[in-house]
Amino acid sequence: RWRKQALAAIQRACELDEMNGDYHKLAGKLFLQAGMSIRAERYLKLALQWGGPDPEVEKTLAELKKG
């Protein structure tokens, strides 16, 4: 029930603070849980770009690519 609001909030947070890797990582996790893998992948890639190497993010991206 709160998922839609959470997704909108984290998306807005990422827009406001584009270089915050933690926000992008959280957005990736939330969009993945919501079944939106394309958006999740985009945010996870941004998390690596702005937050640097992260084994958890890299593992999640690898699992997404496997299908």
Side-chain angles (χ1 to χ4, degrees):
R1 144 181 157 156
W2 294 98
R3 181 178 288 165
K4 187 175 179 180
Q5 288 178 315
L7 293 175
I10 193 61
Q11 189 171 353
R12 183 68 177 139
C14 289
E15 291 170 2
L16 292 173
D17 193 359
E18 294 176 353
M19 295 185 282
N20 190 320
D22 292 331
Y23 287 176
H24 292 292
K25 181 177 177 179
L26 179 58
K29 289 180 181 182
L30 291 174
F31 278 100
L32 188 59
Q33 289 174 357
M36 300 177 179
S37 58
I38 294 172
R39 280 191 177 182
E41 184 176 357
R42 187 180 88 212
Y43 281 112
L44 292 170
K45 286 180 179 179
L46 287 169
L48 289 177
Q49 178 182 339
W50 297 114
D54 185 320
E56 182 182 355
V57 172
E58 292 167 0
K59 179 182 174 188
T60 304
L61 279 171
E63 290 172 0
L64 275 173
K65 289 180 183 179
K66 287 181 184 176

